[in-house]
Amino acid sequence: MESARIVATAARIVRDIGIAEEIAQDALVAALEQWPREGVPDRPGAWLTATAKHRAVDLVRRRETYARKLAEVGRTLTEESYDPEPSGPGDIDDDVLRLVFTTCHPVLSADARAALTLRLVGGLRTDEIARAFLVPEPTVAARITRAKRALATKGVAFEVPYGEDRAARLGSVLEVVYLIFNEGYAATAGDDLLRPALCEDALRLARGLAALMPGESEVHGLAALLELQASRTAARTGPDGRPVLLADQDRRRWNRLLIRRGFDALARAGDGRGYGPYALQAAIAACHARAASYRETDWAVIAGLYGRLMELAPSPVVELNRAVAVSMAEGPAAALPLVDALAAEPALARYHLLPSVRGDLLARLGRIDEARAEFERAAELTRNESERALLRERAGEPGRGEPGRR
């Protein structure tokens, strides 16, 4: 939970992402050694950050070539015992924002930027990042290693850029914030469906970016999307922690404050005609937020928005979501060919939601045995225990439920 702030604080001092990550790990080791003897401090995150900062200053002090930088930063840093912590969920740590823009530097490939930022800012493991990109784990590990080496050899400054430099990195920054939120919203693996700390980190980053760049439509579009998605969190799991499908969610539990924030951010993104990919997804989420119930949702509008999204940012996952909307607007028979056409997509070969959606459509068409097989296949593919339990339950009762995102 604290790794991004710890790495960012160390990186500001040593100006090397790889070394900063090692310093952060050293701080965690120090905690494992000291806390069992001395007790957990009142502010453990601040303790870890301060420990990493002091170790970073010591490292700079030992480097004669960094004497000038030590004179600039060392005196102030060693006098402080703790870093200030964000005062509320809307605040953002400046060092974390610098870290995001640094790991999204143009010297890195787009894939390397996203992988490195998810690792350092989102705290995701290599296998979780691989799942997010639908690529093998060794590929992601190699990207991260090369990215840290490239930032060090190129001497990339640890800063929030301005002007054209900021614009050049913005797309990667938005993508990474979106991926961090998604991993928190629907965890790749583990026992729990949600990882709330990741969602909160992504929301803070999105709000900070919106304040930093008020004239950027897509920044507001991303902020709107995350606010609206986060508004459903309390309703997405039951008392036993099991996932609750969108069709079955108690909408009274949706957070109205976050919904209002999402609507406000979407209004700042424009009037709809010039929406980019994130604003279009936010508009889809807004359709759900406005509907009093699942069946009252304007599925035809949602299908149309997904069609526009396919034109701007085509992907098999977007097409799969469009198929779900088409099934609700026009019936499962109209959507099944769209889903079947995705069967040959290599990126979806291990994507559990493809057989899950297909199982829903087949069940609604009365093809129960085929639906059961699809749900069983989906359960085998997912690595999240909560989702696996739900899919196995659907395999036992293929005729129950409606398709829908959580």
Side-chain angles (χ1 to χ4, degrees):
M1 290 171 63
E2 299 291 340
S3 62
R5 186 172 296 112
I6 299 168
V7 172
T9 298
R12 170 163 52 87
I13 302 167
V14 301
R15 307 287 171 168
D16 185 298
I17 295 294
I19 294 175
E21 189 174 22
E22 293 175 6
I23 290 172
Q25 292 169 355
D26 287 344
L28 294 172
V29 171
L32 290 172
E33 293 173 344
Q34 295 182 38
W35 292 0
R37 298 194 309 265
E38 303 172 7
V40 178
D42 292 336
R43 299 166 61 201
W47 188 99
L48 289 165
T49 302
T51 300
K53 180 170 64 177
H54 295 152
R55 291 183 182 226
V57 171
D58 288 342
L59 178 61
V60 172
R61 206 181 257 123
R62 290 195 298 268
R63 296 176 174 177
E64 292 182 359
T65 55
Y66 279 76
R68 180 179 59 80
K69 291 185 178 180
L70 176 61
E72 295 173 357
V73 304
R75 190 175 302 107
T76 300
L77 292 171
T78 53
E79 290 173 355
E80 299 174 6
S81 59
Y82 290 129
D83 277 351
E85 295 180 334
S87 59
D91 294 337
I92 184 170
D93 189 295
D94 288 341
D95 284 340
V96 175
L97 191 58
R98 291 188 188 97
L99 180 61
V100 173
F101 274 98
T102 300
T103 54
C104 290
H105 196 280
V107 299
L108 306 179
S109 69
D111 290 338
R113 295 175 212 164
L116 182 60
T117 310
L118 287 169
R119 178 74 180 88
L120 297 182
V121 180
L124 272 65
R125 300 190 309 271
T126 303
D127 64 316
E128 293 170 333
I129 301 171
R131 185 73 172 184
F133 285 105
L134 305 176
V135 296
E137 288 182 40
T139 301
V140 171
R143 288 175 185 172
I144 293 172
T145 300
R146 288 195 299 266
K148 288 191 284 190
R149 187 184 302 123
L151 291 176
T153 56
K154 297 290 185 180
V156 172
F158 185 71
E159 63 184 9
V160 176
Y162 295 91
E164 294 181 0
D165 288 342
R166 179 184 293 176
R169 300 189 213 179
L170 183 57
S172 291
V173 170
L174 297 181
E175 177 188 17
V176 167
V177 173
Y178 180 56
L179 290 172
I180 292 172
F181 181 87
N182 278 348
E183 182 58 31
Y185 192 71
T188 300
D191 296 331
D192 300 323
L193 178 69
L194 304 174
R195 298 175 64 179
L198 287 181
C199 291
E200 291 167 6
D201 285 345
L203 273 170
R204 276 196 296 270
L205 288 167
R207 291 165 181 166
L209 289 168
L212 188 67
M213 290 167 279
E216 292 287 346
S217 173
E218 271 294 78
V219 173
H220 295 297
L222 177 64
L225 174 61
L226 302 196
E227 301 279 9
L228 291 166
Q229 294 287 79
S231 71
R232 307 177 196 164
T233 300
R236 294 186 63 241
T237 54
D240 58 356
R242 296 276 295 276
V244 178
L245 294 176
L246 182 61
D248 302 323
Q249 288 176 16
D250 181 355
R251 300 193 174 208
R252 293 171 297 181
R253 300 187 66 198
W254 287 8
N255 189 310
R256 308 315 299 182
L257 174 60
L258 292 181
I259 289 174
R260 287 197 299 272
R261 290 181 66 109
F263 287 163
D264 290 344
L266 186 58
R268 289 192 289 273
D271 59 7
R273 290 189 293 272
Y275 278 173
Y278 293 113
L280 283 172
Q281 292 178 75
I284 292 168
C287 285
H288 290 296
R290 292 189 186 99
S293 68
Y294 187 76
R295 291 189 178 279
E296 293 177 62
T297 305
D298 196 333
W299 291 105
V301 169
I302 290 177
L305 289 169
Y306 272 122
R308 289 173 58 188
L309 186 58
M310 276 296 293
E311 295 174 2
L312 288 180
S315 84
V317 173
V318 172
E319 179 64 6
L320 182 62
N321 284 323
R322 187 176 79 88
V324 171
V326 168
S327 77
M328 297 304 297
E330 304 176 22
L336 187 59
L338 302 178
V339 175
D340 288 343
L342 295 171
E345 285 285 347
L348 299 184
R350 305 286 301 171
Y351 190 55
H352 69 284
L353 292 183
L354 177 60
S356 175
V357 169
R358 191 168 190 274
D360 276 313
L361 299 179
L362 291 170
R364 291 166 62 193
L365 290 169
R367 295 160 62 176
I368 301 301
D369 290 340
E370 294 173 82
R372 181 177 290 111
E374 292 293 333
F375 287 128
E376 289 173 349
R377 178 166 173 263
E380 292 173 1
L381 289 176
T382 185
R383 295 165 62 190
N384 184 282
E385 292 301 327
S386 294
E387 288 193 311
R388 181 176 291 118
L390 174 65
L391 289 165
R392 284 175 175 164
E393 183 179 304
R394 293 299 314 277
E397 301 179 77
R400 184 190 66 80
E402 298 273 4
R405 299 170 62 185
R406 293 180 303 278

